[in-house]
Amino acid sequence: MKKIHLICNSHLDPVWMWDWEEGLGESISTFHQAELFCREFDFIFNHNESVLYEFIEEHDPELFSRIQEQVRAGKWHIMGGWYLQPDCNMPSGEAFVRQIGLGRKYFAEKFGARPTTAINFDSFGHSVGLVQILRKCGYDSYICCRPNPEMMELPRDFWWVGKDGSRVKVTRTTDENLYCTAFGNAKNEVIRMASAYTDGEVGVALWGVGNHGGVPSRKDLEEVTELIANSDDPIVHSTPEQYFAELEPKTEFHKSMQPCLIGCYTAMQSIKQKHIELENKLFTTEKLCAYAALNGLYTKNEDAFHQAEKALAALEFHDIYSGTCASDGEKSSLRKAECALELLQTEFNKAFFALCGKHQKAEIGEFPVFIFNSQPYSRETVCETEYLMPNALTSDIEQYTVSVYQNGKKIPSQCVKELSNIHYDRRKRIAYRCTLPAFGEARVDFRVEVEPKKFLAPTTGDKIVFSDSIKQIRISRKTGLMESYIVNGKEMLSGGAFQPVMYEDNADPWGWYMERIGENPVPFALSDCKTGPFEKLINVNIIEDGDILTEVESFFELGASYVRISYKMYKDMPYTDVRADIFWNEQQKALKIKIPAAFDGQFIGQIPFGTDAFDKDGKEITAHRFVGFQDGENALMLYNDCTYGFSAQGNDLYATLLRGAAYCAHPIGDRILIDPNRFTPAIEQGRHSFSFRLSYDPVQRLENNAQEFVNTPFSLNFFPHGDGVLAENVLDVDNSAISLSAFYQTEEGYILRLVNNNAETNQTNLTLCGEIYALSFKKYEVKTYLYDGNSLTEKELWV
């Protein structure tokens, strides 16, 4: 005999071809009908996603109360327990924890529920970094439907093993209808799903109406009830937890469930970049506010941070983050994010000005500047700060110059181009190399003088060479590319790096049936600057040169699109920053940049709370804030704050920046994707910017280096009025292999989340408010601690 667990559910995308309001409205209709059937029929209705329950609670409190009664009666099961079904590739590890935490807290408070099976039926692939997160958030099992069998061969049931050794049971359902059944045809489809199992097996059948909500029909419930009564094999109404209690997988799987719909890694950059911006703003603001609270200078606004967490989680919905929604979904999701950013900025400002205000007053002629370092270790870095002179200088022969001092000592600095374009000398932007204390604010002081005006010498010759104590860089004026990057005598490149390349692509944002993005590559040519946005400019030119940095810009063009690449080479710093500004006017084309390495190294990239290795076969992969080639204990790394799609062909690294896909252009059989007789806007058409950092670094520091790049230290000219007394030794981590993922205030105290994103075990001494705690981490391990003011206690991950 075989036993089949029936899990009735209603997959309801709150946003996809429709906007949030339509999806949430549909949840009221779906939940009304489901609750009615729970009273009429002997079955169990399963549903997840706290965002939908919150909507019911707000807009139909009477229905919400009846659902609570059904949950208590065991007729309605809280399934999954997350805020929603997110993309399961691109959120950071910390973002996943917040996604889960939102659902965990809500369902515990409103229903007393704590699911142990996580559910992501519709997400497009699943990172192996999820396993540890699931296990440490209280889950022992997982149900998913993708990648589809034709995308990836997988056991039906298996133990999924994470990078740290954590394990959860997984079932990937492979039925043609994925997670639901057709309205009015449930009996026949349950019979088909049950036929996939043989005697002695425990099986599962996901049934119920899906995609835009809805529940089984009355006919479906009557016929399934009859099927259960007449079946020779036990068929039972069930829950995911009851199913997994009887399932014992016989195989293990140690990798990510990828690739899956690889176009999603790049489509709709507006959402992807906004998510990166919002998660960095949230985590940095929490750290600053916790630091201020420990100094007695800030009281947490719980609602502001809660709303920001929900906006971040909403951006992660699998049809939003993947870029496969309609334009209404994009607009409404960006609106949520912008609202959250403004809430966070308000809290950031409260804490920042309260901290800075405690410092001593400035001396006459001083312009104090304060910089917040969110990293739990002291470091030297380059900062840039703009500020306003008291008076405008309109002379054609004189200019203001600025000297920078830290702790009374002059430090290297350089005036660079300010953001405004008013042609007198008043607004100044200063680049300077300073030392930031561990987890706190630094102060530097600007002093101003008037000197004869200086001008950059014209750029001449066929190459630009930059050299300092660490690296030597050569940029060709014939190609506009970085032709050589030598670090401590070792050549990193085998040819021109940061070459923009255009590929033939299609309008499908999912990338169905694709393993690679694009074909028939054509490199962009160095622009002749005769027409377009670069008209009359110099195609390869030095635009900044001083004691801190040299910046070179190059212009490229192809078809109807244009690319500006700028190389910012910092003196005596181990990295170079590269920015791509793109005017993209293509449809069904893709844009990548190419970086050819000079050595054969393993292709690696960041995943949620981990680092993974990938094949160098040209197939598209997804990674987070760093990718590159490992070279023993070091690695040539490309850090980014902008994209998720990458590939490597041999020793050539590619970052996929843009595609020419159309909104929600889903392949249906052999039908055309878009109407050829009318204009259809491509998602990405317009202006875009992408920022990268190229560096040759110790592998153990990659996580911290990525955080340093994406969390540019905030700095501001501000005149304080205090006595200079602030708490010292608030937070310090003495091992560069250990990273601070989160530090925030709760009612119980302060939460710290620390990560060892390395294949080796590591120990660190954590200094917290003057006390030292010795901590140990297994490979790729993340831990959460609660600090109550007296002691440090390890907690469940999502707290």
Side-chain angles (χ1 to χ4, degrees):
M1 295 178 65
K2 58 187 175 184
K3 183 175 181 180
I4 305 300
H5 289 258
L6 297 181
I7 299 177
C8 182
N9 73 98
S10 173
H11 179 70
L12 203 170
D13 287 334
V15 58
W16 180 32
M17 291 187 285
W18 43 87
D19 60 16
W20 282 95
E21 286 66 35
E22 181 177 339
L24 293 174
E26 180 63 28
S27 66
I28 296 179
S29 300
T30 296
F31 280 29
H32 259 293
Q33 193 62 47
E35 193 277 330
L36 174 64
F37 282 165
C38 282
R39 285 184 272 132
E40 290 188 15
F41 291 91
D42 184 18
F43 83 116
I44 302 172
F45 182 70
N46 296 263
H47 206 85
N48 57 336
E49 300 185 315
S50 68
V51 63
L52 302 181
Y53 289 82
E54 286 184 33
F55 188 77
I56 302 299
E57 182 182 20
E58 180 178 357
H59 294 279
D60 196 335
E62 183 180 343
L63 171 61
F64 187 77
S65 295
R66 295 202 303 270
I67 292 172
Q68 288 178 312
E69 293 176 6
Q70 296 295 348
V71 171
R72 286 191 291 269
K75 300 295 298 298
W76 185 304
H77 180 70
I78 302 298
M79 179 175 70
W82 294 20
Y83 186 71
L84 45 71
Q85 291 190 50
D87 176 272
C88 289
N89 302 306
M90 293 179 285
S92 66
E94 186 62 34
F96 272 121
V97 172
R98 306 307 178 92
Q99 173 77 233
I100 294 170
L102 284 168
R104 276 275 191 236
K105 293 170 189 175
Y106 182 83
F107 286 125
E109 176 186 346
K110 304 296 182 178
F111 297 94
R114 182 183 168 88
T116 58
T117 299
I119 300 292
N120 283 306
F121 291 155
D122 205 21
S123 301
F124 310 145
H126 310 264
S127 169
V128 70
L130 265 176
V131 182
Q132 178 181 191
I133 296 170
L134 289 169
R135 195 74 218 189
K136 289 195 170 186
C137 286
Y139 291 96
D140 57 23
S141 45
Y142 192 54
I143 301 181
C144 60
C145 300
R146 294 193 176 91
N148 298 23
E150 66 272 18
M151 298 175 183
M152 186 176 193
E153 290 187 8
L154 282 171
R156 182 176 60 204
D157 311 307
F158 54 90
W159 284 101
W160 197 14
V161 184
K163 302 288 289 185
D164 71 320
S166 298
R167 289 159 40 106
V168 294
K169 297 177 184 179
V170 174
T171 286
R172 182 198 62 172
T173 64
T174 58
D175 186 75
E176 62 191 65
N177 278 351
L178 297 179
Y179 39 72
C180 60
T181 50
F183 192 76
N185 197 40
K187 176 184 174 181
N188 294 332
E189 295 185 13
V190 167
I191 291 172
R192 184 190 67 237
M193 286 184 267
S195 69
Y197 295 91
T198 58
D199 283 349
E201 289 189 317
V202 175
V204 63
L206 303 179
W207 71 292
V209 178
N211 254 2
H212 199 246
V215 292
S217 67
R218 199 176 298 275
K219 173 176 177 287
D220 286 326
L221 285 162
E222 291 170 349
E223 290 184 348
V224 167
T225 299
E226 180 184 4
L227 175 65
I228 291 172
N230 296 329
S231 174
D232 293 332
D233 295 312
I235 301 176
V236 296
H237 290 298
S238 189
T239 69
E241 283 77 8
Q242 291 170 350
Y243 161 65
F244 277 108
E246 298 182 12
L247 179 71
E248 193 63 28
K250 296 181 174 57
T251 60
E252 289 187 347
F253 185 71
H254 292 253
K255 299 180 180 180
S256 292
M257 287 185 266
Q258 299 165 350
C260 176
L261 303 178
I262 61 171
C264 295
Y265 308 158
T266 304
M268 202 172 287
Q269 284 291 349
S270 61
I271 293 290
K272 292 172 171 58
Q273 293 185 355
K274 190 58 66 175
H275 183 277
I276 295 168
E277 179 186 2
L278 180 53
E279 68 176 1
N280 289 329
K281 188 67 175 180
L282 172 60
F283 306 151
T284 301
T285 301
E286 287 177 334
K287 291 172 184 176
L288 175 66
C289 291
Y291 172 56
L294 284 168
N295 277 279
L297 297 173
Y298 173 80
T299 300
K300 187 176 182 182
N301 182 344
E302 291 284 355
D303 184 65
F305 286 99
H306 184 60
Q307 294 304 321
E309 276 194 340
K310 292 203 294 186
L312 182 71
L315 279 185
E316 292 161 10
F317 184 69
H318 58 269
D319 280 313
I320 292 292
Y321 212 171
S322 64
T324 56
C325 64
S327 58
D328 281 355
E330 177 189 28
K331 286 187 285 189
S332 58
S333 297
L334 290 173
R335 184 180 68 236
K336 292 175 184 289
E338 292 294 349
C339 179
L341 285 167
E342 188 63 26
L343 289 172
L344 291 171
Q345 189 63 56
T346 298
E347 300 310 305
F348 188 99
N349 292 345
K350 290 177 186 176
F352 185 81
F353 288 118
L355 286 161
C356 296
K358 294 288 289 181
H359 282 257
Q360 293 180 350
K361 293 181 180 180
E363 300 291 337
I364 295 175
E366 283 184 344
F367 294 82
V369 172
F370 296 91
I371 311 108
F372 175 62
N373 177 27
S374 61
Q375 297 299 100
Y377 51 83
S378 176
R379 61 190 175 106
E380 187 177 35
T381 190
V382 173
C383 296
E384 292 188 13
T385 306
E386 285 205 11
Y387 78 112
L388 194 67
M389 298 293 179
N391 299 296
L393 184 61
T394 58
S395 170
D396 291 331
I397 61 173
E398 291 182 318
Q399 65 181 12
Y400 286 122
T401 61
V402 179
S403 298
V404 184
Y405 296 81
Q406 185 172 21
N407 299 322
K409 181 181 178 181
K410 190 174 182 179
I411 59 177
S413 64
Q414 172 184 346
C415 289
V416 296
K417 174 67 174 67
E418 69 277 8
L419 298 180
S420 58
N421 293 287
I422 300 177
H423 287 287
Y424 57 65
D425 198 9
R426 189 176 186 192
R427 186 72 175 170
K428 306 295 290 187
R429 187 173 184 87
I430 315 301
Y432 50 97
R433 191 166 65 245
C434 64
T435 300
L436 303 181
F439 198 77
E441 81 282 6
R443 171 177 175 166
V444 300
D445 293 291
F446 292 174
R447 288 186 174 272
V448 182
E449 296 177 355
V450 176
E451 291 186 351
K453 187 169 286 189
K454 298 176 183 177
F455 300 92
L456 277 177
T459 304
T460 59
D462 61 1
K463 61 185 177 183
I464 297 169
V465 178
F466 174 93
S467 184
D468 62 22
S469 61
I470 300 172
K471 59 193 180 294
Q472 184 179 84
I473 301 169
R474 186 178 76 250
I475 296 170
S476 169
R477 294 197 68 214
K478 295 181 178 179
T479 66
L481 304 177
M482 185 184 291
E483 301 288 350
S484 177
Y485 193 84
I486 298 173
V487 179
N488 298 325
K490 181 181 177 71
E491 177 63 76
M492 298 289 117
L493 303 176
S494 64
F498 298 99
Q499 168 72 67
V501 185
M502 189 182 295
Y503 293 74
E504 294 177 6
D505 196 6
N506 64 42
D508 166 18
W510 284 268
W512 284 92
Y513 320 117
M514 294 168 61
E515 292 183 330
R516 294 169 173 81
I517 296 294
E519 55 188 9
N520 300 324
V522 179
F524 275 63
L526 188 65
S527 175
D528 59 14
C529 296
K530 291 182 179 179
T531 59
F534 308 138
E535 185 176 0
K536 297 182 180 179
L537 295 175
I538 301 171
N539 58 11
V540 183
N541 194 30
I542 298 173
I543 58 173
E544 301 286 355
D545 193 29
D547 293 339
I548 295 295
L549 63 93
T550 298
E551 184 175 6
V552 175
E553 65 180 6
S554 301
F555 301 125
F556 303 87
E557 59 183 271
L558 179 63
S561 296
Y562 301 83
V563 177
R564 172 188 179 263
I565 301 288
S566 113
Y567 309 94
K568 223 171 192 178
M569 300 167 283
Y570 300 97
K571 296 189 176 178
D572 300 315
M573 299 298 286
Y575 51 77
T576 294
D577 288 349
V578 180
R579 178 182 170 106
D581 294 304
I582 299 157
F583 302 87
W584 186 244
N585 297 302
E586 310 299 328
Q587 292 208 358
Q588 302 189 48
K589 304 280 187 181
L591 174 66
K592 302 183 185 184
I593 57 168
K594 176 183 176 182
I595 301 166
F599 60 90
D600 185 18
Q602 187 177 47
F603 181 28
I604 62 172
Q606 185 192 43
I607 62 172
F609 291 143
T611 299
D612 214 350
F614 308 97
D615 293 331
K616 299 195 294 183
D617 56 4
K619 294 180 181 179
E620 197 79 358
I621 63 98
T622 185
H624 292 186
R625 305 286 66 84
F626 62 75
V627 292
F629 296 128
Q630 187 166 349
D631 183 27
E633 294 183 355
N634 297 309
L636 177 63
M637 277 293 113
L638 184 71
Y639 302 97
N640 77 90
D641 67 354
C642 51
T643 193
Y644 292 92
F646 303 92
S647 61
Q649 185 73 53
N651 296 331
D652 294 339
L653 173 66
Y654 294 86
T656 307
L657 306 188
L658 296 169
R659 299 185 60 222
Y663 287 99
C664 220
H666 195 307
I668 303 293
D670 58 358
R671 299 179 183 181
I672 59 172
L673 271 173
I674 56 176
D675 187 342
N677 299 313
R678 63 184 300 164
F679 172 74
T680 301
I683 299 171
E684 311 294 1
Q685 283 178 309
R687 181 180 171 185
H688 301 267
S689 293
F690 297 83
S691 295
F692 301 93
R693 173 167 289 176
L694 185 68
S695 191
Y696 185 65
D697 295 322
V699 170
Q700 73 165 11
R701 276 201 54 88
L702 298 183
E703 183 77 25
N704 275 324
N705 287 353
Q707 284 198 28
E708 289 180 20
F709 177 59
V710 299
N711 293 306
T712 303
F714 178 82
S715 63
L716 187 71
N717 168 222
F718 174 72
F719 289 89
H721 45 271
D723 54 16
V725 178
L726 285 170
E728 296 181 355
N729 297 323
V730 169
L731 180 61
D732 192 300
V733 174
D734 71 354
N735 186 343
S736 63
I738 306 300
S739 302
L740 179 67
S741 177
F743 184 40
Y744 55 90
Q745 189 179 13
T746 69
E747 292 181 357
E748 293 78 24
Y750 295 84
I751 292 294
L752 297 91
R753 203 148 21 250
L754 297 166
V755 183
N756 173 33
N757 189 1
N758 288 277
E760 300 80 29
T761 59
N762 272 288
Q763 293 77 40
T764 188
N765 289 319
L766 170 73
T767 302
L768 181 58
C769 297
E771 296 293 327
I772 298 177
Y773 302 90
L775 306 178
S776 298
F777 295 81
K778 297 183 296 184
K779 65 177 184 177
Y780 299 114
E781 186 173 25
V782 55
K783 290 183 176 182
T784 295
Y785 295 94
L786 171 66
Y787 175 67
D788 63 5
N790 298 301
S791 61
L792 196 67
T793 307
E794 187 173 355
K795 305 290 285 186
E796 198 170 22
L797 195 61
W798 63 270
V799 173

